[in-house]
Amino acid sequence: MTDRIEAPSAAAMWDTRNTGKTLKRLAGVLILCAVTVAAQAASNQKRGAFLDFNYYPYMSETKNDNFLTINAGAKLGHGLSYFSLNNFGQIKGTAGAPDQNTFYTEQNLRWAFSEELPLDLTLQLNFRNGANNDRHRLGVRWRLNDTKAFVDFFKSLGLVYAINLHLVQFDHEDPYVWQIEHAFNLKLPALSDRIYIAGFVDHTFNQDLPDTFPARPIVGEVQAGVRLFDQLHAVAEYRINEYRRSDVDNLALGLQYKIVW
């Protein structure tokens, strides 16, 4: 996970030469997401799949942040699993230009190559609108809650927690850029089985950034959800994005509907 709510540069946003390519990529990743989850849902093996739709009509600071997020995941068998997120936002046009729709999508393929080790080899593909904005990574993911020494501890907390070390990055930037990704999901059954807290923190190193940026910028989200009925949740999401030079923090309120197979 990375840069999910980082706004592309103005020049990249308005580069009309990339519009067709952007739309094709967006359609492609959404079709991949839908087909993967639908295929798993139809499988008799029932390994597990989900789709969730998050709509945020209220944002406290940055109004052009992502207002719609679609997440998808599926267990594919043979140690393979799939996860994706798709963010959609809108930036108001200037000088008579129309509103600019923006998107960011992250496609993850993970392989648990050993039944004894709580490790996954990971491939992450990131696409966003604009020129020179795509980046792809290879890494290793450590599932701490599946680690034998920690299983009972994390189970007592109701916490699922993983760290992904993205060792290799492929894009137009310095090849030595790397990243640590933290992801977690916390259940609170002692309080209520309707409540959860989940989120991520991405910490990027060795980027060539202007002096006005932090040396190791952070992008993160923490979402608290309360199930209202069926699979409909009310959600509050705190966001931090140190790639923005103003309104680094944001609070988004909305609804989530989750489909599980």
Side-chain angles (χ1 to χ4, degrees):
M1 302 180 186
T2 184
D3 317 335
R4 293 173 179 79
I5 45 180
E6 175 188 352
S9 67
M13 283 170 48
W14 298 105
D15 187 350
T16 57
R17 292 173 300 177
N18 290 279
T19 300
K21 183 184 295 185
T22 293
L23 293 175
K24 290 179 181 178
R25 284 176 174 171
L26 177 58
V29 296
L30 290 179
I31 290 171
L32 174 62
C33 169
V35 169
T36 301
V37 174
Q40 180 55 47
S43 170
N44 292 328
Q45 299 178 56
K46 297 181 179 179
R47 300 188 185 96
F50 76 90
L51 275 170
D52 67 53
F53 304 84
N54 301 263
Y55 174 61
Y56 307 98
Y58 172 81
M59 283 174 275
S60 63
E61 302 294 335
T62 307
K63 305 302 182 183
N64 60 5
D65 212 343
N66 53 288
F67 64 86
L68 176 66
T69 298
I70 303 173
N71 298 310
K75 294 181 180 179
L76 307 176
H78 306 289
L80 293 172
S81 63
Y82 166 81
F83 171 76
S84 75
L85 66 86
N86 304 275
N87 283 343
F88 302 88
Q90 187 176 67
I91 297 177
K92 296 297 182 181
T94 58
D99 292 350
Q100 171 70 31
N101 293 322
T102 65
F103 84 92
Y104 169 84
T105 183
E106 177 184 296
Q107 306 291 313
N108 295 274
L109 184 63
R110 300 161 178 165
W111 178 36
F113 57 90
S114 169
E115 295 183 359
E116 302 299 323
L117 298 174
L119 301 174
D120 306 324
L121 298 181
T122 63
L123 168 66
Q124 184 182 96
L125 306 178
N126 299 320
F127 303 96
R128 65 161 60 85
N129 57 296
N132 295 326
N133 281 330
D134 301 339
R135 54 178 57 105
H136 314 305
R137 297 184 173 100
L138 296 173
V140 179
R141 180 171 176 256
W142 178 19
R143 292 172 273 113
L144 278 79
N145 56 285
D146 286 339
T147 303
K148 289 182 180 180
F150 305 143
V151 167
D152 291 340
F153 172 73
F154 280 98
K155 187 175 181 179
S156 69
L157 297 177
L159 178 62
V160 174
Y161 176 44
I163 298 175
N164 200 340
L165 178 59
H166 295 292
L167 295 168
V168 181
Q169 178 169 303
F170 303 94
D171 63 0
H172 64 287
E173 291 190 297
D174 189 304
Y176 299 106
V177 176
W178 59 282
Q179 184 192 76
I180 297 176
E181 166 196 317
H182 305 263
F184 65 91
N185 190 304
L186 175 65
K187 305 291 185 181
L188 301 169
L191 182 62
S192 172
D193 60 2
R194 292 176 173 268
I195 298 173
Y196 71 87
I197 301 173
F200 69 87
V201 177
D202 293 339
H203 202 177
T204 304
F205 299 83
N206 208 39
Q207 266 187 306
D208 185 14
L209 296 170
D211 293 338
T212 54
F213 282 69
R216 293 169 290 278
I218 290 174
V219 176
E221 297 176 2
V222 178
Q223 183 185 84
V226 179
R227 185 167 61 85
L228 302 177
F229 61 89
D230 193 18
Q231 294 300 321
L232 181 66
H233 299 75
V235 295
E237 189 169 283
Y238 171 73
R239 303 168 179 175
I240 181 170
N241 184 355
E242 292 188 339
Y243 287 94
R244 286 197 293 252
R245 298 298 79 221
S246 62
D247 297 331
V248 171
D249 303 303
N250 204 10
L251 175 66
L253 303 178
L255 295 171
Q256 178 195 87
Y257 189 78
K258 190 168 187 175
I259 304 170
V260 180
W261 294 274

